[in-house]
Coordinates of all heavy atoms in Angstrom, one line a residue:
R26 N 3.1 -1.8 -3.2 CA 3.8 -0.6 -3.6 C 3.1 0.1 -4.8 O 2.6 -0.6 -5.6 CB 5.3 -0.9 -3.9 CG 6.1 -1.1 -2.7 CD 7.3 -2.0 -2.9 NE 8.2 -1.5 -4.0 CZ 9.2 -2.3 -4.5 NH1 9.4 -3.5 -4.1 NH2 9.9 -1.8 -5.5
E27 N 3.1 1.4 -4.8 CA 2.4 2.1 -5.8 C 3.0 1.8 -7.2 O 2.3 1.9 -8.2 CB 2.5 3.6 -5.6 CG 1.5 4.1 -4.6 CD 1.3 5.6 -4.6 OE1 2.2 6.3 -5.2 OE2 0.4 6.1 -3.9
N28 N 4.3 1.5 -7.3 CA 4.9 1.2 -8.6 C 4.8 -0.3 -9.0 O 5.5 -0.8 -9.9 CB 6.3 1.7 -8.7 CG 7.2 1.0 -7.6 OD1 6.7 0.3 -6.8 ND2 8.5 1.4 -7.6
C29 N 4.1 -1.1 -8.2 CA 4.0 -2.5 -8.5 C 3.4 -2.8 -9.9 O 2.3 -2.3 -10.2 CB 3.1 -3.2 -7.4 SG 2.9 -5.0 -7.7
M30 N 4.1 -3.6 -10.7 CA 3.7 -3.9 -12.1 C 2.3 -4.6 -12.1 O 1.6 -4.5 -13.1 CB 4.7 -4.7 -12.8 CG 6.0 -3.9 -13.0 SD 5.8 -2.4 -14.0 CE 5.4 -3.2 -15.6
N31 N 2.0 -5.4 -11.1 CA 0.8 -6.3 -11.1 C -0.5 -5.5 -10.9 O -1.5 -6.1 -11.0 CB 1.0 -7.3 -10.0 CG 2.0 -8.4 -10.4 OD1 2.4 -8.5 -11.5 ND2 2.3 -9.2 -9.5
I32 N -0.4 -4.2 -10.6 CA -1.7 -3.5 -10.3 C -2.0 -2.4 -11.3 O -2.9 -1.7 -11.2 CB -1.7 -2.9 -8.9 CG1 -0.6 -1.8 -8.8 CG2 -1.5 -3.9 -7.8 CD1 -0.6 -1.0 -7.5
K33 N -1.1 -2.4 -12.4 CA -1.3 -1.3 -13.4 C -2.6 -1.4 -14.1 O -3.2 -0.4 -14.5 CB -0.1 -1.3 -14.4 CG 1.2 -0.8 -13.8 CD 2.2 -0.5 -14.8 CE 3.5 0.0 -14.2 NZ 3.2 1.3 -13.6
E34 N -3.2 -2.6 -14.3 CA -4.4 -2.7 -15.0 C -5.6 -3.0 -14.1 O -6.7 -3.3 -14.6 CB -4.3 -3.9 -16.0 CG -3.1 -3.9 -16.9 CD -3.1 -2.7 -17.9 OE1 -4.3 -2.3 -18.3 OE2 -2.1 -2.1 -18.2
V35 N -5.5 -2.8 -12.8 CA -6.6 -3.0 -11.9 C -7.6 -1.9 -12.0 O -7.2 -0.7 -12.0 CB -6.1 -3.1 -10.4 CG1 -7.2 -3.1 -9.4 CG2 -5.2 -4.3 -10.3
P36 N -8.9 -2.2 -12.1 CA -9.9 -1.2 -12.2 C -9.9 -0.3 -11.0 O -9.7 -0.7 -9.9 CB -11.2 -2.0 -12.3 CG -10.8 -3.3 -12.8 CD -9.5 -3.6 -12.2
Q37 N -10.3 1.0 -11.2 CA -10.3 2.0 -10.1 C -11.2 1.6 -9.0 O -11.0 2.0 -7.8 CB -10.6 3.4 -10.7 CG -10.3 4.5 -9.8 CD -8.8 4.6 -9.4 OE1 -8.0 4.3 -10.2 NE2 -8.5 5.0 -8.2
S38 N -12.3 0.9 -9.4 CA -13.3 0.5 -8.4 C -12.7 -0.4 -7.3 O -13.3 -0.5 -6.2 CB -14.5 -0.2 -9.0 OG -14.1 -1.4 -9.7
R39 N -11.6 -1.0 -7.5 CA -11.0 -1.9 -6.6 C -9.8 -1.3 -5.8 O -9.2 -1.9 -5.0 CB -10.5 -3.2 -7.3 CG -11.6 -4.0 -7.9 CD -11.0 -5.2 -8.7 NE -10.1 -6.0 -7.9 CZ -9.2 -6.9 -8.4 NH1 -9.1 -6.9 -9.7 NH2 -8.5 -7.6 -7.6
V40 N -9.6 0.0 -6.0 CA -8.5 0.7 -5.4 C -9.0 1.4 -4.1 O -10.1 2.1 -4.2 CB -7.8 1.7 -6.3 CG1 -6.8 2.5 -5.6 CG2 -7.3 1.0 -7.5
V41 N -8.3 1.3 -3.0 CA -8.7 2.0 -1.8 C -7.4 2.7 -1.3 O -6.3 2.3 -1.5 CB -9.2 1.1 -0.7 CG1 -10.6 0.5 -1.1 CG2 -8.3 0.0 -0.3
K42 N -7.7 3.8 -0.5 CA -6.6 4.6 0.0 C -6.0 4.0 1.3 O -6.8 3.6 2.2 CB -7.0 6.0 0.3 CG -5.9 7.0 0.7 CD -6.4 8.4 0.9 CE -5.3 9.3 1.4 NZ -5.8 10.7 1.6
V43 N -4.8 3.8 1.4 CA -4.1 3.2 2.6 C -3.0 4.1 3.0 O -2.4 4.8 2.1 CB -3.7 1.8 2.4 CG1 -4.8 0.8 2.2 CG2 -2.7 1.7 1.3
S44 N -2.6 4.1 4.3 CA -1.5 4.9 4.7 C -0.8 4.2 5.9 O -1.5 3.4 6.6 CB -1.9 6.3 5.1 OG -2.9 6.3 6.1
W45 N 0.4 4.5 6.2 CA 1.2 3.9 7.3 C 0.8 4.6 8.6 O 0.6 5.7 8.7 CB 2.7 4.1 7.1 CG 3.2 3.4 5.9 CD1 3.6 3.9 4.7 CD2 3.5 2.0 5.8 NE1 4.0 3.0 3.8 CE2 4.0 1.7 4.5 CE3 3.3 0.9 6.6 CZ2 4.4 0.5 4.0 CZ3 3.7 -0.4 6.2 CH2 4.2 -0.6 4.9
I46 N 0.8 3.7 9.7 CA 0.8 4.2 11.1 C 2.2 4.1 11.6 O 2.8 3.0 11.4 CB -0.2 3.3 12.0 CG1 -1.6 3.2 11.4 CG2 -0.2 3.9 13.4 CD1 -2.4 2.2 12.1
T47 N 2.7 5.1 12.2 CA 4.1 5.1 12.6 C 4.2 4.9 14.1 O 5.3 4.8 14.7 CB 4.8 6.3 12.2 OG1 4.1 7.5 12.7 CG2 4.9 6.4 10.7
E48 N 3.1 4.8 14.8 CA 3.1 4.6 16.3 C 3.1 3.1 16.6 O 2.5 2.3 16.0 CB 1.8 5.3 16.9 CG 1.7 6.8 16.6 CD 0.4 7.3 17.1 OE1 -0.4 6.5 17.6 OE2 0.2 8.5 16.9
D49 N 3.8 2.9 17.7 CA 3.8 1.5 18.3 C 4.3 0.4 17.4 O 3.9 -0.7 17.5 CB 2.4 1.1 18.8 CG 1.9 2.1 19.8 OD1 2.8 2.6 20.6 OD2 0.7 2.4 19.8
I50 N 5.2 0.8 16.4 CA 5.7 -0.3 15.5 C 7.2 -0.2 15.5 O 7.8 -0.6 14.5 CB 5.1 -0.1 14.1 CG1 5.4 1.3 13.5 CG2 3.6 -0.4 14.1 CD1 5.1 1.4 12.1
V51 N 7.8 0.2 16.6 CA 9.3 0.3 16.6 C 10.0 -1.0 16.3 O 11.0 -1.0 15.6 CB 9.7 0.9 18.0 CG1 11.2 1.0 18.1 CG2 9.1 2.2 18.3
N52 N 9.4 -2.1 16.8 CA 10.1 -3.4 16.6 C 9.6 -4.2 15.5 O 9.9 -5.3 15.3 CB 9.9 -4.2 17.9 CG 10.6 -3.5 19.1 OD1 11.7 -3.0 19.0 ND2 10.0 -3.5 20.3
S53 N 8.7 -3.6 14.6 CA 8.2 -4.3 13.5 C 9.3 -4.6 12.4 O 10.2 -3.7 12.3 CB 7.1 -3.6 12.8 OG 6.0 -3.5 13.7
K54 N 9.2 -5.7 11.8 CA 10.2 -6.0 10.7 C 9.4 -6.2 9.4 O 8.3 -6.8 9.4 CB 10.9 -7.3 11.0 CG 11.9 -7.2 12.2 CD 13.1 -6.4 11.8 CE 14.2 -6.4 12.9 NZ 15.4 -5.6 12.5

């Protein structure tokens, strides 16, 4: 999660952009 306390000090070089796929995951938990 973007507000996770454990990643506040992580260098920018280790950050990548991710996003949700909303297709075909109706039954995901």
Side-chain angles (χ1 to χ4, degrees):
R26 282 153 54 192
E27 280 192 350
N28 59 358
C29 177
M30 294 298 293
N31 286 347
I32 64 172
K33 289 196 176 294
E34 305 298 325
V35 172
Q37 194 61 33
S38 62
R39 295 174 58 200
V40 176
V41 294
K42 185 178 179 181
V43 294
S44 59
W45 295 103
I46 306 172
T47 56
E48 300 172 1
D49 301 324
I50 56 170
V51 177
N52 296 319
S53 292
K54 293 285 186 181

